Amino acid sequence: MEVDYVPLQDTPQGLLCQNPAAPPLVQYTTVNMGAEPPKDHIIWSLITLFYCGNPCCLGLAAFIFSIKSRDRKVVGDLDGARHYGATARCLNIIVTAMVVTLVVIALIAVIIVVVQIQQTVRSMNNQDYRFPSSNNWGR
């Protein structure tokens, strides 16, 4: 079996091995995988801005920090983008927790009011309360 040695691209001829019995040069390719780009949480910020009632304007602040994070990422300042993204995430967590807490409290309050109304109606039905007739008003 005959082996053909082909020079590598952009390799100076002096570096190639001229001995046919020697193994061919191997070219390695190194791919530098950068860290995952920082997240800006812009969708979550939009949801907290428009759908969560924006308590204490924190949804707006989260949206602003998300925009700043996206701008920093475009410019290439990944540390700044991470900082603004982390701030947006914290604000979104606070807004989401506040809204969930308020919804749970509102549901509990509605349930309590409905139960109280039902108990009042039942007690009124058990007492057989009758309104006075219109004929007896003047007497």
Side-chain angles (χ1 to χ4, degrees):
M1 177 189 264
E2 194 172 315
V3 177
D4 291 332
Y5 289 101
V6 179
L8 298 174
Q9 290 179 333
D10 300 331
T11 305
Q13 291 296 330
L15 295 178
L16 289 178
C17 189
Q18 299 297 331
N19 185 0
L25 291 177
V26 178
Q27 182 178 8
Y28 292 100
T29 303
T30 304
V31 177
N32 291 330
M33 296 296 291
E36 184 178 327
K39 295 183 180 182
D40 52 16
H41 306 287
I42 195 156
I43 302 297
W44 190 8
S45 297
L46 281 171
I47 290 170
T48 57
L49 176 64
F50 290 119
Y51 294 113
C52 291
N54 202 11
C56 304
C57 294
L58 292 177
L60 178 63
F63 182 67
I64 290 170
F65 278 104
S66 295
I67 296 295
K68 285 184 175 186
S69 174
R70 183 164 282 194
D71 290 344
R72 292 284 95 198
K73 191 174 11 176
V74 168
V75 170
D77 180 16
L78 297 182
D79 289 334
R82 279 188 196 92
H83 174 71
Y84 285 127
T87 304
R89 185 185 69 235
C90 289
L91 291 173
N92 284 326
I93 289 170
I94 291 169
V95 171
T96 304
M98 287 174 66
V99 168
V100 167
T101 303
L102 289 175
V103 167
V104 168
I105 289 172
L107 286 174
I108 290 172
V110 167
I111 290 171
I112 289 173
V113 168
V114 167
V115 168
Q116 290 295 324
I117 290 173
Q118 286 178 348
Q119 288 177 351
T120 304
V121 168
R122 282 187 196 138
S123 69
M124 289 179 81
N125 288 338
N126 290 340
Q127 292 176 0
D128 197 28
Y129 181 78
R130 295 183 187 185
F131 291 103
S133 65
S134 62
N135 296 342
N136 296 333
W137 282 101
R139 294 183 188 168

